[in-house]
Amino acid sequence: MTAHLVVGEVHTGLLMHSSMLPEGAVPGLLDLVPGERVRWAERPMARAVSADLARAVDCPLAVASGPRGRGLGTVLARARLVGGRVIQASVRARLVCNAERRRPWGHYLARLGDVEVLGKADAPALADGFIADADTDADAGLVRVTLDTGAVCESLLMDLQRAPALDHRPTMRTRRTRLRWSARRDPDAPVLSGRFTVVDETLRTLSLHLPADTAFDPADLAALCEDLAHHDWLLTTAGRVAEQACTGAADPTALRRLRPVVDHLLHLWTPGTDVAPALLPAWDALEARPGFSRQWQTTVSRIRAFLALDTT
Amino acid sequence: MTGHDRGLWYSETSAEPRTESVPMSHLSVEVGHLYREDFASGPDVLRRQFRSVAAMLPAAAAVLSPPGRSRISTCFLVDDYFHRFAAPAEVVPLLVGAAAEAGLTIDYLARESACAVADGRPIAGMVAARMVAPPEEGGNGSRPPPQESGWLSNGTRSPSSAATEAMARHAAWTPPREFTARRHSIFTDVELWDDADGERTWSSPFLAAVWQLLRLGLIRDKGAAPLAPRPWDTGTYPQAWDDLPPLVQLNPHAAPFAAYRTFSVLPTTFLPIEHAVRVLLDATAVEPAVLDQLAQHSAAEHISLPREVTARIMYTFLPGLADGGSA
């Protein structure tokens, strides 16, 4: 059996809380698995990540073309909180092709995060199928029957946002974004390559091709995608607010809209945090084109200039 | 959370994964399991049990531990959870004496309540939180995980008769189905606990599953080993079970309590319980970091260790031993 494909999804949103969640409340919020630790770090910015929750799946897998596949095993879900404000649910699975038969359930729990593919579906068709399957739930009335990483993210985020530790009074109205991603080993890829697509206002997809000698750890790949999703959400959210507020007069309404961005989001820009060195070329490429940090600087300058306009 | 390949490293301890390693024997042998009823039926039953274990032990060691200097530890479980009886001061010397007559040494004595809560750690609750039921066909992550009903099965249940009657008088009965059936099913549905008066009572198969995981060194609490054996040096044993540590080391020269594999000699009446234990262990997601650590340690000793927990467990069922208490 071969495992050259990891797929996943990250949903990112603002924590339903009026201020930065105090450090002491973070482990409680992210304590999803009794007996396991919440891991956290302070520099360059406070962030915490939960232990992994396992969810059992036995369902058809989307394929772009060719033979179908049925996936059997577990996906892993975890939550991440950045700067005490931005909350993420992240789901990942390693698709292991060419499984011969269904095995006793203990086999799958000894390989958490692996989904074994029964049938002849190959990795490229599964990777493309998973990405193409991202927006099918936009079609009203369709019930997804294929692997639904988004639903796992949603239910996890819903549980987190309902936590009693939160006051449920967020300082600004924002929209959740979701990033659906696939990463596969590609013997023909000399360097890390791929495609990041902004599909619509809230959906993004990322297809990564990794050279055969790159370490291929699902948790590392998920960490890269969580970092990208966090920064894409910041860009999307701050950009949207700036677009609405900075176009007219610097009146109290406009300032009221901008204030929370300045107070709560501007300091959360730290690209590459928690990304394994072997995967940093993904960030380098996105910095070159379209230039995430350049756009962020432009947005920040625009907001600051507008606020300065008011005080002079 | 990652550092860099070379040059100056930065790390924060709180961000690093941490898994304490525990000393491991090759084989953990359960020489007996004492319930109130067994104790009441007198020491002859125990003697018979110990003689049987002594006879089986060389064969089990030959099958399950490497040749040469193998590390084998023995353990004994006393029920102080469902029915308390006698006192350690009475029971422990009797056990040790009866074992010695059969040429056995009891290295460790555990209280069954330790499988529920030990030194304030809710061990059974931690294991229950790690259970992942096998998926129904079509489970794609969109349905929330099953409500905590306190039951776990190895297949699809037959629809409840109440619901069927409500739907239609003529609705055909649907049989239950075992997920990995070979044509015909052996469907098992295991009760994990019951709640009464705000208190949870874990079922006997559930605690037996925890007991296997403890013996296999597969449980951690926030990275730390949850149950370290404590020596008992004073020679006299207390009058109350609560005054005895949850896991006592009776033999100062014993090999480590936890082991790569376990072997249990049990009365045949335990067969359904142990089948249930296997269903539960098959649905328990042991922390991958712990499985990885044991895989490394065993490989360093040139021992091949199956990744599946149930493949690390061996039993012998003997008729005519102590009947065992029903929980």
Side-chain angles (χ1 to χ4, degrees):
Chain A
M1 291 204 292
T2 50
H4 294 314
L5 175 61
V6 179
V7 299
E9 188 157 335
V10 186
H11 289 204
T12 306
L14 188 68
L15 191 69
M16 297 288 275
H17 198 63
S18 57
S19 60
M20 181 177 147
L21 192 67
E23 201 180 297
V26 174
L29 180 73
L30 299 187
D31 189 14
L32 305 182
V33 187
E36 284 203 61
R37 285 165 64 230
V38 172
R39 291 184 293 137
W40 78 91
E42 295 293 333
R43 295 175 190 176
M45 170 187 50
R47 62 214 187 275
V49 63
S50 76
D52 291 322
L53 280 173
R55 291 277 177 265
V57 296
D58 174 7
C59 63
L61 300 171
V63 283
S65 59
R68 291 160 192 272
R70 175 177 148 212
L72 187 58
T74 54
V75 302
L76 293 178
R78 67 184 179 190
R80 183 172 183 257
L81 184 68
V82 184
R85 289 190 173 87
V86 180
I87 185 84
Q88 297 186 299
S90 169
V91 172
R92 64 184 190 274
R94 190 166 71 150
L95 301 189
V96 183
C97 292
N98 302 322
E100 286 165 7
R101 59 188 169 87
R102 180 176 183 139
R103 292 168 180 274
W105 185 235
H107 168 87
Y108 302 98
L109 292 193
R111 292 155 186 83
L112 282 184
D114 279 6
V115 172
E116 296 191 359
V117 183
L118 296 161
K120 298 277 177 226
D122 63 14
L126 287 163
D128 295 347
F130 182 73
I131 296 298
D133 201 29
D135 56 357
T136 38
D137 59 356
D139 305 332
L142 275 188
V143 175
R144 185 191 293 277
V145 295
T146 48
L147 182 64
D148 200 348
T149 44
V152 181
C153 288
E154 279 304 304
S155 75
L156 177 53
L157 265 190
M158 206 188 299
D159 289 348
L160 291 164
Q161 296 281 34
R162 279 183 190 154
L166 308 181
D167 61 22
H168 306 105
R169 290 187 289 118
T171 48
M172 52 197 289
R173 286 174 61 90
T174 60
R175 292 178 77 169
R176 269 186 213 165
T177 55
R178 58 194 191 98
L179 168 67
R180 189 176 255 232
W181 58 272
S182 73
R184 71 180 175 92
R185 272 215 171 121
D186 185 349
D188 299 329
V191 292
L192 183 147
S193 62
R195 177 176 290 273
F196 186 98
T197 308
V198 175
V199 179
D200 59 28
E201 286 187 326
T202 55
L203 174 64
R204 290 89 180 82
T205 60
L206 172 68
S207 305
L208 278 179
H209 295 221
L210 301 177
D213 60 348
T214 309
F216 200 64
D217 178 61
D220 282 353
L221 289 162
L224 165 71
C225 294
E226 288 156 15
D227 192 46
L228 289 174
H230 166 74
H231 290 89
D232 171 77
W233 181 85
L234 284 177
L235 269 184
T236 306
T237 305
R240 194 174 287 147
V241 174
E243 198 54 50
Q244 288 166 353
C246 301
T247 42
D251 56 24
T253 315
L255 296 174
R256 217 172 29 245
R257 277 186 179 155
L258 285 175
R259 201 72 241 171
V261 176
V262 175
D263 290 346
H264 300 294
L265 302 185
L266 288 197
H267 61 288
L268 298 181
W269 190 265
T270 54
T273 311
D274 302 328
V275 177
L279 298 174
L280 279 173
W283 254 114
D284 298 340
L286 290 169
E287 289 290 43
R289 206 170 73 85
F292 274 28
S293 288
R294 274 201 305 279
Q295 190 189 347
W296 180 250
Q297 283 313 322
T298 309
T299 308
V300 171
S301 306
R302 190 177 177 194
I303 292 172
R304 291 229 163 98
F306 193 78
L307 290 174
L309 210 65
D310 168 64
T311 53
T312 49
Chain B
M1 302 188 185
T2 316
H4 283 274
D5 276 347
R6 57 183 75 81
L8 179 67
W9 275 70
Y10 172 80
S11 71
E12 296 180 40
T13 306
S14 59
E16 304 298 325
R18 188 171 60 211
T19 303
E20 184 186 334
S21 73
V22 296
M24 297 295 282
S25 284
H26 296 118
L27 185 64
S28 157
V29 180
E30 180 178 6
V31 298
H33 189 150
L34 192 68
Y35 287 96
R36 182 177 59 184
E37 294 83 349
D38 314 325
F39 187 71
S41 58
D44 280 349
V45 180
L46 274 173
R47 290 198 187 99
R48 245 190 354 257
Q49 160 104 6
F50 288 142
R51 275 200 301 274
S52 304
V53 175
M56 302 279 167
L57 200 49
V63 174
L64 295 175
S65 66
R69 287 174 54 86
S70 45
R71 301 186 300 274
I72 298 176
S73 66
T74 59
C75 57
F76 194 97
L77 190 66
V78 178
D79 173 31
D80 69 331
Y81 184 76
F82 295 106
H83 302 288
R84 294 211 164 183
F85 59 92
E90 186 185 358
V91 173
V92 180
L94 187 117
L95 285 175
V96 172
E101 282 176 34
L104 279 178
T105 307
I106 300 176
D107 294 329
Y108 301 94
L109 180 90
R111 292 161 43 197
E112 186 148 1
S113 62
C115 299
V117 178
D119 296 328
R121 288 186 210 247
I123 293 188
M126 281 158 41
V127 171
R130 303 208 65 91
M131 301 201 97
V132 180
E136 296 278 342
E137 196 173 324
N140 67 348
S142 62
R143 258 170 282 169
Q147 288 294 320
E148 292 196 359
S149 61
W151 288 79
L152 188 121
S153 74
N154 66 349
T156 305
R157 294 183 177 94
S158 178
S160 81
S161 52
T164 313
E165 276 173 34
M167 283 189 304
R169 193 159 289 276
H170 305 292
W173 177 76
T174 324
R177 192 177 56 82
E178 182 190 3
F179 284 129
T180 45
R182 297 186 177 183
R183 186 159 182 163
H184 299 108
S185 284
I186 305 169
F187 176 78
T188 308
D189 212 347
V190 184
E191 188 171 15
L192 310 180
W193 65 74
D194 64 59
D195 291 320
D197 304 326
E199 200 170 335
R200 175 156 295 180
T201 302
W202 302 95
S203 70
S204 171
F206 191 89
L207 293 182
V210 175
W211 174 233
Q212 287 285 1
L213 291 170
L214 285 169
R215 290 167 66 200
L216 289 165
L218 292 172
I219 301 180
R220 296 290 183 282
D221 182 9
K222 302 212 187 299
L227 187 63
R230 293 211 285 274
W232 189 270
D233 299 327
T234 64
T236 54
Y237 292 92
Q239 290 300 321
W241 287 103
D242 286 336
D243 295 334
L244 199 66
L247 178 62
V248 192
Q249 181 167 353
L250 299 176
N251 170 13
H253 309 292
F257 168 72
Y260 295 127
R261 293 170 186 268
T262 66
F263 172 56
S264 305
V265 182
L266 299 165
T268 310
T269 46
F270 272 61
L271 204 117
I273 293 182
E274 295 305 319
H275 174 58
V277 166
R278 296 180 72 86
V279 170
L280 299 186
L281 290 178
D282 244 356
T284 304
V286 172
E287 245 183 279
V290 180
L291 287 179
D292 292 344
Q293 188 181 64
L294 285 187
Q296 280 168 14
H297 291 181
S298 58
E301 293 193 66
H302 308 289
I303 291 166
S304 96
L305 188 62
R307 204 164 167 88
E308 290 80 1
V309 175
T310 48
R312 302 179 182 190
I313 298 172
M314 187 172 129
Y315 315 88
T316 291
F317 294 100
L318 295 174
L321 292 181
D323 277 337
S326 50

